[in-house]
Amino acid sequence: MYRYCFLLLLLVGCNSDPQIDYTTLTVDQLRSRLTDSDPNVRWQSVFELERREGGGIQAVKELTALLDDKNVEVRRVTTQAFAGIFMEAKPPYSKDLKQAIMVLKNNQDADEVVQSGVRIALGIVEAKQK
């Protein structure tokens, strides 16, 4: 019996995909993963882009689209990424950043964590424009 369980575990382990090391991916590779069907891939990609200097700014259009993602964790990490992006960006903002600001201002997400991230991101924008 134990032998069969061990073989089953080996087979399941052999068929699983290897973990991706997101720290080794380029900004363009991360950007391409923002539309992946797996929400964990999207989440990891947003998280890693935000950690890269200039990475989030390069992906503003894609990140703006993720503010409407069906997965709440993706929306949460995206609003947090925007806070980092606005800390890094200097006014006057690009057209894409201005569009992101409008989407954030109009955000009606029911999730409290998302709303908190939106308020933080917009607070940074407001402080920089004074």
Side-chain angles (χ1 to χ4, degrees), residues 51-64:
R51 295 180 56 209
R52 306 272 180 97
E53 187 173 331
I57 290 174
Q58 294 177 47
V60 167
K61 279 186 178 182
E62 295 93 337
L63 292 171
T64 302

Side-chain angles (χ1 to χ4, degrees), residues 5-124:
C5 289
F6 179 71
L7 288 173
L8 181 61
L9 285 173
L10 278 177
L11 288 174
V12 170
C14 291
N15 289 331
S16 65
D17 293 330
Q19 290 283 37
I20 298 171
D21 181 1
Y22 285 81
T23 63
T24 64
L25 299 177
T26 66
V27 169
D28 285 338
Q29 289 171 323
L30 291 167
R31 287 175 68 182
S32 71
R33 284 174 167 74
L34 294 176
T35 57
D36 194 278
S37 62
D38 183 348
N40 291 321
V41 171
R42 295 191 305 273
W43 187 93
Q44 287 280 14
S45 299
V46 172
F47 182 80
E48 186 60 34
L49 275 169
E50 199 272 325
R51 295 180 56 209
R52 306 272 180 97
E53 187 173 331
I57 290 174
Q58 294 177 47
V60 167
K61 279 186 178 182
E62 295 93 337
L63 292 171
T64 302
L66 288 180
L67 290 169
D68 289 326
D69 196 271
K70 61 187 172 194
N71 184 280
V72 69
E73 297 299 328
V74 172
R75 295 192 313 271
R76 287 174 176 176
V77 74
T78 301
T79 59
Q80 293 168 7
F82 271 111
I85 290 167
F86 289 124
M87 287 294 291
E88 188 177 341
K90 294 177 173 69
Y93 295 123
S94 69
K95 181 178 118 183
D96 291 339
L97 280 173
K98 288 178 184 176
Q99 177 64 33
I101 291 167
M102 291 305 301
V103 171
L104 286 164
K105 285 182 177 179
N106 294 322
N107 188 291
Q108 297 294 316
D109 201 296
D111 185 75
E112 290 181 28
V113 177
V114 171
Q115 284 303 309
S116 178
V118 167
R119 285 190 301 273
I120 291 168
L122 291 175
I124 293 167

